[in-house]
Amino acid sequence: MATQAKTLTNSSVVGEQAAQSGPLYIVGQVVKYGLLILMTLILLGPFVLAFFGSFKTVNEVLASPPTLWPQNWQPENYSRVWNAQQASGDDFITQFFKAIGLGTSLFPRWLFNSVFLAAIHVVLQLFLCSLAAYAFARLDFKGKNLVFTLMLATLMIPGVALLMPRYFIINQINLVNTYWAVILPSAVGAGGIFLLTQFFRSIPKDLEEAAAIDGAGLFTTYSRVILPLARPALATLAVLEFQGSWNDFQNPLIFLNTPDYFPLTVGLSALKDNYTSQVNLILAASMFNTIPAILIFAFFSRYFVEGSTYAGVKG
Amino acid sequence: MKKTNRYLSMLSLLLVVAFGLMACDSNSTAATTPAANTAVAAAATATSAPAMAVATATTGAATDAKATATTAPVAPAAATDVPPAEVSDAACANAGTVDVSKVKKIAIESGATLRFSGWGNTSEQQVTREQLCRFKQAYPTIKVIYEPIPDNYESKLKTQISSGTEADVFYVNPPLTDLLVSSKKLLKLNDYMSEANMKKSDFFESLINIFSRGDDVYGLPKDFGSIIVFYNQDIVAKATGAKAPPADGNWTWDDYSAFAKSLVSGTGESKVFGTMHQPDYARWLPFALANGAKVLSADGKKSAINSAEAKAALDWYYGLYKDGTAGESKLVSAGWPGEAFGKQKAGFVIEGGWMIPFLKDSANGFNVKWSAAPLPKSPKGTYGDLLFTNAYSARADSKFPKAAAALVTFLSGPVNQEAVLITGFAVPTLKGYESNAYFTDHAAEKALYATASFGTVDYYGPATGVVQKTMSDAMNALYLGKVDTAGALKQMEDGINAALADI
Amino acid sequence: MAVKSLPPQRQGMKRKTRENVAGWLFLTPYLISLIVFTFGAIAYAVYISFTDLKLFGEANYVGFGTYGRVLDPAAPLNKFWKALGNTVIFSVVVVFFQTWLAILFAVVLNSKIRGQRFFRIAWYLPSVTASVVISLIFFWMYKQQGVINYALGAIINNTLGLVGVHFEPVAWLDNTTTALPAIMTMNIFTTIPTFMVMFLAGLQDIPTDVYEAAKIDGASARRMFWSITLPLLRPVIFLVTVLGTIGTLQVFDQIYVMTNEGGPLDSTLTVAYLIWFEAFKRNNLARSAAISFILFVVIFVFFLVQRRFLDRNATD
């Protein structure tokens, strides 16, 4: 496998002139950073507002003109959200949480459910989608284009139309109200395959040809050549699928009955009944939902920041 | 390389964990309750109320559509912080004890396990759990698994029913009842009721008739909401010549207009309106109904809204808006009249029981001193109101029909309803509580309870949603100046007839 | 391996068969999932679209009757065409902006700037939040005296106000003209970061020596962008456009949360919402299924058009 490797670090040079000094350059920098900050304000603005809003009373959240800083801090909004619901079942996860002192609030359980479902989902997606993507991107087999188009076509069926038929199928195999009901149908999906296929297609073929000459089989090429090279793509897929699973609401709502199994999105929706009258609680709940996701993204983002390294064949 | 092995081992580890967790399936015990302190300014009169104008006024603060979408009662989290509870029957202590001797029990199957579903936010869920605790006192051998559906209730219930996996007992609203009775999915309750010493006539006619077909009862009303007047006592006190409306409801439309006018103050941004008259059918219709108007013909096949009685009501209702006495919530940058009232931008509003917890919960930050009174009588001297109600029903093919009926009859029975009344969560659907001690100090609940005897349920057959929207759209057109009141009523008539033709 | 010992011609054929088999083998997990969870559901939905099935009722075959009823503009209370118009406008505008802005953001964030990592994480925040949550936040912000009007008022009145332009607070979600654009803006806002992330990954795969060679040849930054970056990003552009189109043509969550059954007088009614509405509120499963398949055809047509222009791998 070891061809001569030349490690290149990537960084786009678009927008980067050879370093000039002088007033034009400084103005350019100011404008550039100014725009960056403006965009950050625009993109982050709603969340900052939501964050402060989650500490306000309903009256203040709805005040006009709107205020930024809460006049009366109400951290009890968060404890209300935390204690919103108590466990109804008694399985060993509930007992575990009780044992470590988190009481019977369902909130940590919901958080755990979300993390668990998302983690499994991501791992399955990474594995199974990359298999299929490799086939589409690199292998030539009869009916490839047809299957690819069919696969994309399945994305085009509005999900909402398949809700009842899918429930029927899940019920037939007796998986309703289990974690599997949420995991299995989405374990491998057209979206993920499509994404990885496009990325795989842009990986230069020379390495695989080198590997083939060295006698590598297809699965080995897949696992030892393509996968490592596709790190940015895999990281992208991981992040997106994590986000998708983390924010999934409709599926767990329909397929799960016991509140103990709900992920965070469904559990917190019980606060949503009067969301115009208890906006502050909803915002607090939203913070709980958003912050873990952003932390996970921050953790994985280093795959985007570091340039991808790939071994090139030195001609 | 090592990476593949890493992926593989990670995957297998996760799958093993997953299997482990799923193997230990939930053995949800009976509905247990948190040690909730719901006595404190508890949740609202829980019904599919046309609650707040969730989205905006142009389509007529159509709260309703959203409310019926989830058919969720509008009960914000009342209670104070909930301390973590033991998952055990000891937590039922807060439910109070039930005088079991007062409950006429019916014969049930042995070893019955029931699943029970309903909508409701967290505070309603707490109240429900307490009711289930009381049930357990009366019927200790029945195990009840509570499966609340926090959102999209209708979607989920319909999906479950189409696969036969719905709960044994669940909440229904009038449209659901229509659908499920005609497809024979609901248990007929008459025999069980007589066994439990309950009669159809124990309930208010308008409420129980919606869930019955002739004399056959398919659902027992759980609670109901309606529209009454909530007024700001401080604004009333400060206004010259303003007299608080009488607690017995003996006032007229002219009194109402005068009252509203007397509460108007200020101009421009700081204007305080007398009241809020939203272009929302659910706020105008009570007055029209009181005046004798009807939405549909007696056979339910044609519109009857375009009548002199309705026009009189609409002229009067819109008139107060036109001359600036009554505003609408968006004029004072509020999302719905309740919010406007909370911000003290309206002297009084016409809303339902959901206002009670909204105002009472000090954590919401509204400091309004308020009281409530019934709506005035019409120029004809008659009363009317719009009722929003839901019921408990049992599935026809339940494995434990007797136990299911026991649950339904208990929850809607006198013992439980009185217990619920005292928590302030809802008013009973049974007759005979007019002189209950609870009403002495609770003007709003008293006024609400009284409406059941003369109110009409907000239901118009399978096209209800469209009918409601048509009426609100027409009112919007009126408020935007596109039509006059006669034109608005004609628009309603045409729209309703089209809706009825489209079934 | 055995392959090497065969004569070259046989090697080729054996490889072809191996590839054939391998191709299908690699697809197996996906195919299983597809067959079990998707095909059956789709087949059933197609079937009921040819009937008049209502919820819990009986299914009677009616041929294209249901489709006809859905497509008939004269049918009473038929909102299909309005919904379709809203949906197409939504999709075309949103996809255009989200794609180009995502490329722009990705290019900016990929260049040498201080705090690159911070910006990348911060800019991703809108995407990482549940659409329901974002809808709630924006719903609150779009109120007549909410934050957006407040900010716009502050900016406009203090700048253009000097020349007499005054900004009146707009009830964004209440006006038939502004409701859909307001939701579109929110959608663009939330999806740009997701696609930006995809473009970032795509940009990583472009080797620097290509740019270095171009610079030596004297190419300007702009030229490099149009002639190098964009063409090399083509597969990702195709990906983003297709996913974006598929997503926007199915927009449902925001409408459900932020509007009342399709917004002021149906101005925000989308086809996906109508599908849900017909099934779960009007209890008309057949119509819901028929609308679903009409939407599918629309999406598929969009896809074919995009593939024709954007996918250099299309062989048929």
Side-chain angles (χ1 to χ4, degrees):
Chain A
M1 214 54 44
T3 54
Q4 290 211 15
K6 171 182 160 190
T7 311
L8 297 172
T9 339
N10 273 340
S11 63
S12 164
V13 299
V14 175
E16 204 173 314
Q17 308 286 348
Q20 318 278 355
S21 46
L24 205 59
Y25 176 68
I26 295 183
V27 170
Q29 290 290 85
V30 166
V31 169
K32 186 158 87 170
Y33 281 97
L35 280 174
L36 277 175
I37 295 182
L38 179 66
M39 278 316 305
T40 311
L41 283 177
I42 293 179
L43 287 172
L44 283 191
F47 298 92
V48 172
L49 288 168
F51 177 74
F52 285 118
S54 66
F55 287 103
K56 297 179 182 167
T57 64
V58 174
N59 198 3
E60 200 185 338
V61 162
L62 298 174
S64 59
T67 61
L68 178 65
W69 203 257
Q71 274 156 3
N72 299 312
W73 284 84
Q74 273 208 159
E76 54 262 29
N77 289 348
Y78 281 89
S79 55
R80 268 212 197 173
V81 172
W82 177 274
N83 284 318
Q85 206 164 347
Q86 306 299 314
S88 56
D90 212 8
D91 63 3
F92 77 92
I93 303 181
T94 312
Q95 291 174 349
F96 171 72
F97 279 115
K98 233 180 7 174
I100 63 173
L102 284 175
T104 52
S105 159
L106 269 185
F107 189 83
R109 176 84 195 255
W110 289 338
L111 194 56
F112 166 79
N113 291 336
S114 282
V115 172
F116 175 70
L117 288 171
I120 301 241
H121 176 76
V122 167
V123 168
L124 285 177
Q125 282 267 324
L126 283 179
F127 214 61
L128 302 176
C129 286
S130 55
L131 279 175
Y134 179 66
F136 283 123
R138 284 298 188 250
L139 303 179
D140 202 12
F141 52 95
K142 277 217 199 77
K144 174 165 106 156
N145 275 319
L146 181 66
V147 178
F148 190 71
T149 309
L150 265 176
M151 176 191 81
L152 282 185
T154 61
L155 279 181
M156 303 177 199
I157 314 269
V160 82
L162 299 181
L163 204 55
M164 272 200 201
R166 276 226 172 104
Y167 182 83
F168 179 73
I169 295 173
I170 301 267
N171 188 40
Q172 290 293 93
I173 50 183
N174 276 329
L175 286 185
V176 173
N177 206 28
T178 64
Y179 287 122
W180 288 120
V182 179
I183 293 175
L184 284 184
S186 62
V188 51
I193 298 178
F194 184 39
L195 184 140
L196 289 183
T197 308
Q198 297 305 98
F199 278 107
F200 286 3
R201 279 188 176 147
S202 59
I203 295 177
K205 289 199 176 152
D206 13 5
L207 280 167
E208 291 156 76
E209 282 160 14
I213 290 173
D214 275 356
L218 287 168
F219 190 81
T220 331
T221 318
Y222 153 76
S223 56
R224 294 190 186 179
V225 178
I226 294 288
L227 280 191
L229 283 181
R231 232 172 19 145
L234 290 174
T236 311
L237 184 65
V239 162
L240 294 177
E241 292 299 329
F242 178 85
Q243 169 195 327
S245 170
W246 183 263
N247 293 331
D248 192 10
F249 173 71
Q250 191 82 306
N251 285 319
L253 175 74
I254 298 285
F255 291 126
L256 299 174
N257 293 332
T258 315
D260 296 34
Y261 287 158
F262 290 160
L264 210 50
T265 40
V266 180
L268 294 178
S269 70
L271 288 167
K272 191 159 72 81
D273 255 11
N274 319 314
Y275 49 81
T276 54
S277 68
Q278 298 236 283
V279 181
N280 54 348
L281 291 186
I282 301 307
L283 292 177
S286 315
M287 289 299 116
F288 276 123
N289 205 43
T290 310
I291 291 176
I294 196 76
L295 288 176
I296 304 243
F297 175 73
F299 173 73
F300 276 101
S301 73
R302 59 198 172 99
Y303 289 105
F304 307 124
V305 178
E306 299 168 0
S308 75
T309 58
Y310 71 93
V313 178
K314 187 75 169 112
Chain B
M1 232 164 15
K2 296 176 251 166
K3 283 221 183 102
T4 330
N5 296 336
R6 241 203 345 215
Y7 291 145
L8 279 171
S9 38
M10 232 171 43
L11 175 63
S12 6
L13 182 62
L14 271 164
L15 283 175
V16 165
V17 172
F19 269 112
L21 285 170
M22 278 161 245
C24 314
D25 229 327
S26 97
N27 45 350
S28 316
T29 55
T32 52
T33 43
N37 192 358
T38 44
V40 179
T45 36
T47 50
S48 68
M52 24 241 104
V54 158
T56 85
T58 330
T59 37
T63 59
D64 240 0
K66 188 63 57 77
T68 38
T70 54
T71 33
V74 185
T80 53
D81 295 308
V82 178
E86 302 298 308
V87 178
S88 73
D89 290 301
C92 283
N94 264 346
T97 41
V98 149
D99 186 350
V100 178
S101 63
K102 283 209 187 132
V103 179
K104 172 73 169 62
K105 293 173 53 165
I106 68 179
I108 54 172
E109 304 90 348
S110 63
T113 305
L114 297 176
R115 287 169 54 221
F116 175 57
S117 261
W119 59 70
N121 65 4
T122 48
S123 49
E124 161 137 13
Q125 288 180 27
Q126 287 167 9
V127 172
T128 307
R129 279 181 219 268
E130 290 181 0
Q131 298 183 55
L132 292 172
C133 282
R134 287 183 215 120
F135 177 69
K136 198 161 174 69
Q137 295 171 27
Y139 291 90
T141 60
I142 302 183
K143 178 170 157 168
V144 179
I145 301 174
Y146 179 38
E147 293 177 355
I149 300 178
D151 201 4
N152 285 13
Y153 181 79
E154 273 195 48
S155 302
K156 184 158 181 185
L157 185 70
K158 287 175 178 174
T159 306
Q160 287 179 318
I161 296 180
S162 53
S163 283
T165 57
E166 74 271 31
D168 297 282
V169 176
F170 45 87
Y171 298 0
V172 291
N173 55 21
L176 269 177
T177 306
D178 242 1
L179 175 72
L180 297 178
V181 169
S182 57
S183 43
K184 303 202 187 347
K185 304 271 182 202
L186 295 182
L187 187 67
K188 197 172 97 158
L189 298 168
N190 297 60
D191 296 332
Y192 303 104
M193 283 168 69
S194 24
E195 211 185 320
N197 273 357
M198 288 169 69
K199 295 195 297 298
K200 184 165 177 273
S201 52
D202 291 341
F203 294 88
F204 288 106
E205 275 79 31
S206 38
L207 297 179
I208 195 160
N209 284 342
I210 278 285
F211 303 108
S212 315
R213 298 290 176 268
D215 279 326
D216 296 341
V217 178
Y218 290 99
L220 292 180
K222 165 178 167 288
D223 48 34
F224 72 96
S226 55
I227 305 284
I228 57 175
V229 167
F230 288 85
Y231 60 91
N232 185 323
Q233 289 171 310
D234 288 329
I235 294 184
V236 170
K238 284 203 202 99
T240 40
K243 233 180 28 150
D248 61 3
N250 194 5
W251 55 322
T252 64
W253 285 6
D254 290 336
D255 296 330
Y256 178 106
S257 305
F259 181 54
K261 286 198 169 74
S262 67
L263 299 179
V264 177
S265 66
T267 51
E269 290 259 323
S270 56
K271 177 169 181 180
V272 173
F273 285 92
T275 182
M276 294 275 134
H277 273 186
Q278 302 286 103
D280 170 12
Y281 85 94
R283 299 296 181 281
W284 155 70
L285 202 52
F287 299 105
L289 291 172
N291 206 24
K294 300 246 181 304
V295 179
L296 298 180
S297 57
D299 59 5
K301 293 207 173 36
K302 269 189 3 250
S303 153
I305 194 69
N306 194 359
S307 61
E309 292 89 355
K311 182 159 191 306
L314 191 57
D315 283 332
W316 169 78
Y317 183 88
Y318 178 58
L320 281 176
Y321 174 79
K322 241 180 25 174
D323 69 14
T325 312
E328 49 172 331
S329 54
K330 68 179 185 189
L331 294 178
V332 296
S333 9
W336 63 295
E339 189 187 324
F341 185 74
K343 291 182 176 173
Q344 312 220 29
K345 298 296 248 173
F348 70 90
V349 287
I350 42 180
E351 288 289 328
W354 48 88
M355 288 287 286
I356 303 174
F358 180 67
L359 294 172
K360 271 202 181 140
D361 190 349
S362 58
N364 281 347
F366 299 114
N367 293 317
V368 178
K369 211 163 133 252
W370 61 274
S371 184
L375 291 180
K377 58 188 181 194
S378 73
K380 295 195 176 148
T382 44
Y383 290 96
D385 209 336
L386 206 52
L387 301 175
F388 321 102
T389 183
N390 309 289
Y392 301 105
S393 281
R395 69 187 277 190
D397 57 353
S398 168
K399 291 199 191 70
F400 304 103
K402 298 189 196 144
L407 183 57
V408 170
T409 51
F410 176 82
L411 288 174
S412 56
V415 173
N416 187 47
Q417 289 221 38
E418 178 152 8
V420 170
L421 169 65
I422 297 176
T423 67
F425 180 72
V427 290
T429 55
L430 290 163
K431 298 187 217 174
Y433 286 90
E434 289 81 0
S435 34
N436 190 294
Y438 183 78
F439 290 137
T440 328
D441 297 321
H442 294 91
E445 287 84 339
K446 182 167 176 180
L448 284 166
Y449 185 67
T451 60
S453 47
F454 51 74
T456 319
V457 175
D458 183 27
Y459 184 62
Y460 315 105
T464 294
V466 185
V467 169
Q468 294 166 338
K469 188 160 189 287
T470 304
M471 291 194 281
S472 290
D473 284 348
M475 289 183 75
N476 261 304
L478 173 66
Y479 275 49
L480 289 174
K482 294 191 180 153
V483 288
D484 60 4
T485 52
L489 286 169
K490 182 85 177 59
Q491 190 175 318
M492 287 187 201
E493 181 181 53
D494 294 338
I496 292 177
N497 282 329
L500 294 173
D502 182 43
I503 299 172
Chain C
M1 291 192 72
V3 176
K4 273 211 272 202
S5 55
L6 291 172
Q9 197 195 21
R10 288 285 298 285
Q11 271 188 34
M13 268 166 49
K14 258 221 129 130
R15 170 171 290 151
K16 264 215 136 138
T17 332
R18 255 194 346 160
E19 265 195 45
N20 249 325
V21 172
W24 285 98
L25 257 181
F26 273 58
L27 282 184
T28 307
Y30 172 64
L31 290 175
I32 295 179
S33 160
L34 184 68
I35 291 171
V36 172
F37 294 110
T38 309
F39 267 160
I42 295 180
Y44 180 70
V46 173
Y47 160 66
I48 58 177
S49 72
F50 288 108
T51 66
D52 65 354
L53 180 66
K54 301 237 170 81
L55 196 59
F56 311 144
E58 300 263 304
N60 307 311
Y61 180 73
V62 293
F64 281 98
T66 312
Y67 283 96
R69 170 67 176 74
V70 167
L71 292 172
D72 178 9
L77 301 178
N78 189 8
K79 305 194 200 251
F80 174 73
W81 290 105
K82 181 91 169 98
L84 187 62
N86 289 343
T87 309
V88 169
I89 294 175
F90 190 96
S91 180
V92 168
V93 173
V94 169
V95 169
F96 178 80
F97 280 105
Q98 81 190 9
T99 310
W100 286 106
L101 288 175
I103 293 181
L104 184 65
F105 285 20
V107 162
V108 168
L109 284 185
N110 204 32
S111 60
K112 281 219 182 91
I113 49 176
R114 301 244 207 93
Q116 185 187 47
R117 185 134 171 236
F118 163 75
F119 283 114
R120 284 186 185 188
I121 297 174
W123 287 26
Y124 190 63
L125 194 51
S127 275
V128 97
T129 321
S131 68
V132 170
V133 170
I134 296 242
S135 304
L136 288 173
I137 296 180
F138 268 80
F139 181 76
W140 169 63
M141 293 198 322
Y142 273 132
K143 280 170 182 267
Q144 183 140 27
Q145 285 269 349
V147 177
I148 291 188
N149 279 329
Y150 184 71
L152 283 175
I155 297 173
I156 294 183
N157 291 336
N158 287 325
T159 53
L160 296 180
L162 301 173
V163 292
V165 174
H166 185 73
F167 176 76
E168 283 296 323
V170 179
W172 298 98
L173 295 172
D174 288 346
N175 281 323
T176 50
T177 40
T178 57
L180 194 62
I183 298 186
M184 287 185 343
T185 309
M186 185 185 83
N187 203 310
I188 296 173
F189 172 88
T190 48
T191 50
I192 287 180
T194 307
F195 295 128
M196 172 189 86
V197 161
M198 290 188 204
F199 281 120
L200 272 175
L203 286 173
Q204 302 292 4
D205 278 341
I206 302 177
T208 31
D209 36 1
V210 180
Y211 290 115
E212 281 167 16
K215 255 203 309 200
I216 290 170
D217 280 349
S220 68
R222 177 176 300 162
R223 187 71 198 284
M224 286 197 281
F225 176 73
W226 288 101
S227 306
I228 300 180
T229 314
L230 278 191
L232 286 176
L233 276 183
R234 209 164 164 191
V236 187
I237 295 180
F238 179 59
L239 171 75
V240 166
T241 323
V242 169
L243 288 180
T245 309
I246 294 177
T248 50
L249 286 172
Q250 294 184 33
V251 69
F252 171 79
D253 281 355
Q254 287 102 319
I255 312 299
Y256 180 82
V257 172
M258 291 176 82
T259 73
N260 185 29
E261 288 191 2
L265 301 177
D266 295 335
S267 57
T268 59
L269 185 65
T270 59
V271 179
Y273 186 85
L274 195 60
I275 293 172
W276 174 85
F277 186 76
E278 285 286 346
F280 289 102
K281 301 298 286 180
R282 305 285 296 279
N283 301 326
N284 196 328
L285 294 182
R287 251 187 242 172
S288 177
I291 299 178
S292 306
F293 283 101
I294 298 176
L295 181 63
F296 164 73
V297 168
V298 170
I299 299 179
F300 196 69
V301 166
F302 269 66
F303 164 70
L304 288 178
V305 169
Q306 284 163 347
R307 194 170 75 144
R308 173 80 178 72
F309 288 107
L310 291 172
D311 185 18
R312 61 179 171 177
N313 289 300
T315 53
D316 43 16

